[in-house]
Every structure is written in structure tokens, then in C-alpha cells.
């Protein structure tokens, strides 16, 4: 059986979402581990005055590509940026570029999507569903297409407790919904959104579910497959451990914890935290494309790319990040890292107000007094909003079947199993979480590990400030109690009731 590099050799690959987190890792992996791939066409939107070519140049400068640069100095010759806009008709492609893609592309990876949980429903439909339709129309004209890999999410069907590797019926008629949102006002869409999405937590999971149905229905006759990753985190080991480049989702909460801004987490400690390293996800995507090309299945194979099926970890295990951030503290630390775990939103609100909001209000007041712009309360509110957005996923459990993933792993040739690893059972979660925390410091915040001694001294100062503050508060309370007969009587009553 042909290996993955052999199947991808001489092929032209089209990638959407290449400037995103998963897309970057996919581009690097294909070029480094499939060295004979012919070319990568990257659909890139002009942004903030930057042409697609300039954005790609900036993309390959990041540290993720250092290993590839050392092995293949001329790898950029294979990257072909194509100006595109997913919201425009025909993806914003001019006739010449569309023709080039349809004549040359063999493999398509559709990674682009909006991952904002609270995106407006009409925009989420356009970015996650209508874009699928446009991509399929483009692929219908591809003369040499061998596989179209669509990246969905393991939470597309989160209204079910058990999720199989099948496409479920859509919650509503996709076509009637898309037509309706075209004529509805923004106010009407906002008002109706909770009723439309039903028992799903947000428009992201809702539109991803619809997108899968549309993908299979309108892609009939094309070689298709779907990969559903769960919560995508930092790299496990390839090209190096701990690489992460964004604040999205759980990464943002990790950083908020490290800075001491997040003082409480809404989560059931025993709930499974289904984290999937991004390099494992990309291996699954590449492997799914290979498997579809080799076996040419009659139905659309779906891969639930999750870790919980073979190597589950729970949210209580994530508490070790407190120790890691104290061992490798962040330069931007506001308070010493500490997190209180609770399943009650009102308890979270209390701890957030006492532990974060009040210190932020005091800090903002000091900033105002010295003529600087206050910003800490705004950051605190943003973190709290993120926590409320994610609590649906930190308080519920799902069971995903992964028969197709297991079959794909077992089908890999021996030479591919080490390079395109698909077995997460050897993953040591404590070690992974430690490299994840260090990765947020190095690659998201761009902090130098050489400065650790100075940062640790700052953390000790914060600890001493906290002790002094607590001592002052206790002494003040004692003075009040000792001078007030009412306070003494109240304290006696509380002690008598308690003991």
C-alpha cells in the first residue's frame, strides 16, 4: 500500500483557512513531511491593506516554520497565494484563478470558518454554510479532484450525548433558513436566534451541524470526507511541543489563569476535558485524505477526532497549570495564579468580583490618577464573558465513537505511524499541559524564558503585597470588633451557631 508521502507526491493541494491556527500547522506538515508535494494553493483574503502574498510571507516567518526552513530552504517556492474572499460570490476568485484551480488541484482541505461562538446567525451561516456551497461548486469543475476534506467540529451535534461517525439530520431546513435570514432585519434575527438554535449553546455548533448536511447533500458524487476535532490545543510534539499562537477558547483561559486574572472556573471537575493537540488533528486530516484516495469509499467517511475515546482527561487534572504558571510565571502577571473550581455560576460571579473585579477597579483608578487609560476592568469583563461562553462545554459530557479513526490508524503503513501519529494513548497529560503553559508564554505572549528569574522575583513581591494587604484587613477588622459591642455580640452569635 502506498504511503502518505507517496500519495501526496506530485499533487496540488488547495487549502482554505491557511492563516489560521490549524491551517498553519497543516501547511507546515504537508511541506515538511510530504516533500514531493507539487504545490499548495492558499486561498487568502486581502486584509488591512495587505495583499495575500504579503500575508503569506508573514505567515512563514513564524517560529512554527523554523524546522521546515532548515530542512527545505526553498519551501516557499511551492506556496501559491490566491486572492479570495469567502463572503464574495464565487469566493471572490477571478476567472483566471478559478480556471487554474479547477485544472490543477487534486486535494482540497477546507479549514476556513468563523469560530466565534456568539457570531450573528446570518453571518455564521454565510461563513460556515454558504462557503461550503461555494467550495463545492468550485470543486465540481475540478477535473483531477481526488478528495475534499472538510474540517467540522466534534460539537456539531452537541445536543446529543452519544455522537456517532454519521451525519445527523439538520435541526431545521437549511435552505429555508438561509433564505429567511436574507430578508430578516438584524433585530429580528437576534430576537429569533435562541428559538432557531434550540438546545444548542451557540450559532457556531448550530451552523457547523447544518454545514455537514449541506456538504454531503450537495457534494454527492465527489470524493468527500469529514474530520471533527474537539477542543484543539497546542502541539504535542510536531514540529516541536507547545506551539500555540492564539487566545481562542481554552488557550485564553490558560493565559488568564497564568496572569492571575481568572480567579474561578465554572466547570464540573469530573467532566471530561476533550483536548486534542493540533498536530494530532492535522495528522488525522492528512490521513483521512490519504485513506479516502486509497480506498474510495461509497459513503462519506467521518472521523471523530477526539482524545476522550482512548485517553480521557478531566478538568480537575487541568488544575496542575497553577503549579506550572508559578514555576514558569508570565511577565504580565497581575496577581499570583489561583483558581477556585465551581459548578455554580453565582459562586463564579462572587469570586470573580472579589478576586478580579475589585483589584481591577483599584488598578484602573490608579491608572487614571497617573494620566493613563484604564483597561483592567474591561479585560476582567472579557475573561468573565469567555468563561460563561465556555461553561456549556466544561459542565457537560459527551461520548464519541471513533471506529473510523481507529481503522485509519490501523491502516497506516509502518513507515507513516511515527511521522503521522494518530494514537493519543501515549500522551502524558501532565507533561502536555506543562508544555502548553510554557507555549502560551513563549509563542502567544512572546516572552523570553531567560527573563524568568526577574519574573519570579516579581511574583514574590505580589505574594508579599497580598500578605501585607490581608494583614492590614485583619488588623482593621479586629480593631472594629474590639471597639464595637454590637460587632462582638454578632461574632459571638456566629461562633455559637457554627460550633
Amino acid at each position: 500500500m502506498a504511503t502518505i508521502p507517496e500519495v501526496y507526491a506530485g499533487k496540488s493541494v488547495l487549502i482554505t483557512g491557511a492563516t489560521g491556527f490549524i491551517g498553519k500547522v497543516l501547511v507546515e506538515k504537508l511541506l515538511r513531511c510530504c516533500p514531493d508535494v507539487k504545490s499548495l494553493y492558499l486561498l487568502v483574503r486581502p486584509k488591512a491593506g495587505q495583499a495575500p502574498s504579503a500575508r503569506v510571507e508573514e505567515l512563514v516567518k513564524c517560529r512554527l516554520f523554523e524546522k521546515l526552513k532548515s530542512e527545505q530552504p526553498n519551501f516557499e517556492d511551492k506556496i501559491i497565494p490566491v486572492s479570495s474572499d469567502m463572503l464574495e460570490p464565487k469566493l471572490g476568485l477571478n476567472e483566471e484563478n478559478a480556471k487554474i484551480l479547477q485544472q490543477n488541484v487534486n486535494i482540497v482541505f477546507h479549514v476556513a470558518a468563523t469560530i466565534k461562538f456568539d457570531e450573528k446567525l446570518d453571518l455564521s451561516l454565510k461563513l460556515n454554510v454558504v462557503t461550503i456551497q461555494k467550495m463545492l461548486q468550485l470543486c465540481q469543475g475540478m477535473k483531477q479532484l481526488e478528495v475534499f476534506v472538510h474540517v467540522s467540529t466534534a460539537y456539531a451535534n452537541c445536543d446529543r450525548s452519544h455522537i456517532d461517525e454519521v451525519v445527523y439530520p439538520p435541526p431545521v431546513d437549511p435552505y429555508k433558513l438561509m433564505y429567511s435570514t436574507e430578508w430578516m432585519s438584524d433585530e429580528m434575527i437576534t430576537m429569533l436566534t435562541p428559538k432557531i438554535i434550540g438546545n444548542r449553546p451557540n450559532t457556531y455548533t448550530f451552523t457547523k451541524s447544518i454545514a455537514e448536511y449541506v456538504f454531503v447533500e450537495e457534494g454527492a458524487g465527489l470524493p468527500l470526507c469529514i474530520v471533527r476535532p474537539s477542543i484543539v490545543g497546542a502541539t504535542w510534539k510536531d514540529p516541536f511541543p507547545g506551539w500555540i499562537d492564539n487566545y481562542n477558547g481554552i488557550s485564553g483561559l490558560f493565559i488568564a489563569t497564568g496572569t492571575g486574572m481568572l480567579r474561578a472556573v465554572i466547570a464540573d471537575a469530573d467532566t471530561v476535558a476533550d483536548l486534542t493537540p493540533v498536530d494530532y488533528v492535522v495528522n488525522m486530516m492528512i490521513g483521512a485524505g490519504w485513506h479516502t484516495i486509497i480506498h474510495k469509499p461509497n459513503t462519506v467517511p467521518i472521523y471523530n477526532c477526539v482524545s476522550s475515546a482512548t485517553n480521557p482527561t478531566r478538568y480537575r487534572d487541568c488544575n496542575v497549570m497553577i503549579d506550572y504558571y508559578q514555576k514558569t510565571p508570565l511577565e504580565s502577571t497581575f496577581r499570583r495564579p489561583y483558581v477556585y473550581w465551581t459548578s455554580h455560576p453565582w459562586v463564579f460571579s462572587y469570586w470573580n468580583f472579589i478576586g478580579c473585579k475589585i483589584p481591577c477597579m483599584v488598578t484602573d483608578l490608579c491608572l487614571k490618577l497617573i494620566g493613563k487609560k484604564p483597561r483592567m476592568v474591561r479585560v476582567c469583563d472579557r475573561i468573565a464573558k469567555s468563561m460563561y461562553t465556555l461553561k456549556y462545554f466544561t459542565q457537560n459530557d459527551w461520548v464519541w465513537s471513533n471506529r473510523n479513526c481507529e481503522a485509519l490508524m490501523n491502516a497506516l503503513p509502518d513507515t507513516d505511524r511515527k511521522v503521522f501519529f494518530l494514537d493519543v494513548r501515549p500522551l502524558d497529560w501532565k507533561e502536555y499541559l506543562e508544555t502548553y503553559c510554557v507555549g502560551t508564554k513563549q509563542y502567544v505572549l512572546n516572552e523570553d524564558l531567560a527573563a524568568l528569574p526577574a519574573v519570579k522575583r516579581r511574583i514574590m513581591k505580589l505574594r508579599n503585597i497580598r500578605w501585607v494587604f490581608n494583614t492590614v484587613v485583619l488588623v482593621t477588622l479586629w480593631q472594629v470588633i474590639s471597639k464595637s459591642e454590637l460587632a462582638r455580640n454578632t461574632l459571638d452569635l456566629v461562633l455559637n451557631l457554627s460550633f
Side-chain angles (χ1 to χ4, degrees):
M1 185 183 295
T3 64
I4 290 177
E6 288 171 349
V7 167
Y8 280 80
K11 303 293 171 61
S12 292
V13 182
L14 172 63
I15 302 174
T16 70
T19 58
F21 178 47
I22 295 176
K24 290 176 185 176
V25 180
L26 175 62
V27 169
E28 193 276 341
K29 183 78 175 190
L30 282 172
L31 291 170
R32 181 168 51 83
C33 298
C34 300
D36 294 323
V37 67
K38 183 179 179 182
S39 56
L40 300 188
Y41 291 95
L42 310 185
L43 295 192
V44 181
R45 177 172 60 92
K47 184 179 179 182
Q50 270 191 319
S53 56
R55 292 189 67 190
V56 170
E57 286 177 16
E58 187 178 318
L59 166 74
V60 298
K61 287 178 183 176
C62 89
R63 295 166 73 175
L64 177 72
F65 289 83
E66 287 178 355
K67 186 175 181 180
L68 173 60
K69 284 178 185 176
S70 65
E71 295 178 3
Q72 301 177 41
N74 299 319
F75 74 91
E76 292 181 53
D77 295 342
K78 294 183 179 180
I79 299 177
I80 305 171
V82 180
S83 182
S84 174
D85 189 333
M86 296 290 160
L87 289 175
E88 294 294 325
K90 299 182 179 180
L91 303 170
L93 295 170
N94 60 41
E95 289 187 16
E96 181 184 357
N97 284 340
K99 187 176 180 181
I100 290 171
L101 294 176
Q102 290 180 326
Q103 288 178 343
N104 294 290
V105 169
N106 309 101
I107 299 167
V108 175
F109 288 97
H110 180 51
V111 189
T114 176
I115 57 173
K116 286 181 64 177
F117 285 177
D118 58 351
E119 189 69 85
K120 289 183 178 180
L121 178 59
D122 54 334
L123 183 55
S124 189
L125 283 167
K126 288 175 182 176
L127 289 168
N128 291 345
V129 183
V130 177
T131 295
I132 285 283
Q133 294 178 301
K134 296 173 185 176
M135 286 295 298
L136 287 169
Q137 289 167 7
L138 178 67
C139 290
Q140 295 285 358
M142 290 182 179
K143 301 176 175 59
Q144 304 179 68
L145 182 67
E146 296 183 45
V147 65
F148 182 170
V149 182
H150 169 53
V151 180
S152 183
T153 172
Y155 298 99
N157 302 286
C158 60
D159 56 326
R160 300 170 179 268
S161 58
H162 184 277
I163 301 168
D164 211 339
E165 291 173 311
V166 298
V167 172
Y168 291 97
V172 297
D173 186 309
Y175 303 101
K176 289 182 179 178
L177 178 61
M178 287 187 283
Y179 171 74
S180 299
T181 55
E182 288 293 325
W183 57 261
M184 285 184 185
S185 66
D186 290 344
E187 293 78 12
M188 188 180 296
I189 292 173
T190 301
M191 181 182 68
L192 293 176
T193 293
K195 294 181 180 179
I196 293 172
I197 67 176
N199 54 358
R200 282 180 168 80
N202 50 55
T203 57
Y204 170 71
T205 57
F206 177 78
T207 55
K208 277 293 192 178
S209 173
I210 290 176
E212 288 188 358
Y213 176 81
V214 170
F215 181 68
V216 172
E217 284 294 305
E218 297 191 18
L222 294 175
L224 311 175
C225 67
I226 299 173
V227 177
R228 292 173 174 163
S230 54
I231 303 169
V232 184
T235 53
W236 173 16
K237 51 187 175 181
D238 198 26
F240 50 83
W243 186 79
I244 180 81
D245 75 338
N246 62 82
Y247 293 88
N248 295 331
I250 202 164
S251 300
L253 295 185
F254 277 21
I255 294 171
T257 300
T259 59
M261 292 288 288
L262 183 65
R263 310 303 289 178
V265 171
I266 308 174
D268 185 336
D270 291 322
T271 295
V272 171
D274 206 299
L275 270 171
T276 48
V278 65
D279 45 344
Y280 163 67
V281 172
V282 164
N283 289 343
M284 188 69 71
M285 292 162 57
I286 295 172
W290 166 82
H291 199 260
T292 303
I293 292 172
I294 291 289
H295 293 280
K296 297 179 173 56
N298 294 323
T299 57
V300 178
I302 298 165
Y303 301 88
N304 284 337
C305 185
V306 298
S307 60
S308 59
T310 52
N311 185 9
T313 188
R314 303 188 182 276
Y315 280 104
R316 64 166 174 262
D317 301 325
C318 295
N319 210 35
V320 295
M321 65 184 172
I322 303 298
D323 298 329
Y324 298 148
Y325 277 123
Q326 290 182 353
K327 178 181 172 184
T328 314
L330 305 177
E331 292 176 20
S332 52
T333 298
F334 177 67
R335 296 192 63 188
R336 289 183 73 224
Y338 170 82
V339 165
Y340 181 83
W341 293 77
T342 178
S343 57
H344 303 291
W346 65 269
V347 176
F348 167 79
S349 297
Y350 168 79
W351 278 104
N352 181 63
F353 184 76
I354 297 296
C356 183
K357 195 71 171 279
I358 291 177
C360 285
M361 290 167 70
V362 173
T363 303
D364 276 354
L365 178 60
C366 295
L367 289 172
K368 279 186 179 180
L369 292 174
I370 61 175
K372 292 187 177 181
K373 187 177 179 180
R375 58 186 177 83
M376 299 306 294
V377 169
R378 190 170 65 253
V379 173
C380 177
D381 291 342
R382 193 182 305 137
I383 292 170
K385 182 182 178 183
S386 297
M387 187 68 259
Y388 282 116
T389 300
L390 292 171
K391 71 183 179 69
Y392 178 88
F393 303 97
T394 59
Q395 290 188 298
N396 290 290
D397 267 322
W398 292 268
V399 176
W400 288 274
S401 64
N402 71 331
R403 290 183 297 272
N404 290 342
C405 294
E406 290 286 313
L408 172 55
M409 182 180 69
N410 294 329
L412 282 181
D414 292 338
T415 53
D416 286 340
R417 295 195 177 193
K418 186 176 180 180
V419 178
F420 300 93
F421 48 89
L422 294 176
D423 188 0
V424 292
R425 280 170 286 203
L427 174 60
D428 183 315
W429 284 109
K430 287 187 176 180
E431 182 182 320
Y432 174 71
L433 289 171
E434 180 170 12
T435 59
Y436 200 146
C437 292
V438 175
T440 60
K441 178 180 177 68
Q442 285 186 282
Y443 309 118
V444 180
L445 302 175
N446 294 313
E447 296 180 1
D448 190 352
L449 292 179
L452 267 180
V455 180
K456 286 184 177 180
R457 286 194 296 271
R458 184 170 179 270
I459 295 295
M460 292 299 290
K461 286 181 182 178
L462 288 173
R463 185 199 66 176
N464 294 338
I465 291 171
R466 182 188 175 197
W467 284 356
V468 170
F469 177 79
N470 289 347
T471 302
V472 170
V473 170
L474 288 173
V475 169
T476 303
L477 287 174
W478 176 253
Q479 291 291 331
V480 171
I481 291 172
S482 63
K483 292 180 181 178
S484 169
E485 184 176 351
L486 176 61
R488 287 199 303 273
N489 291 339
T490 303
L491 179 61
D492 288 340
L493 176 63
V494 172
L495 291 174
N496 288 331
L497 290 174
S498 302
F499 301 100

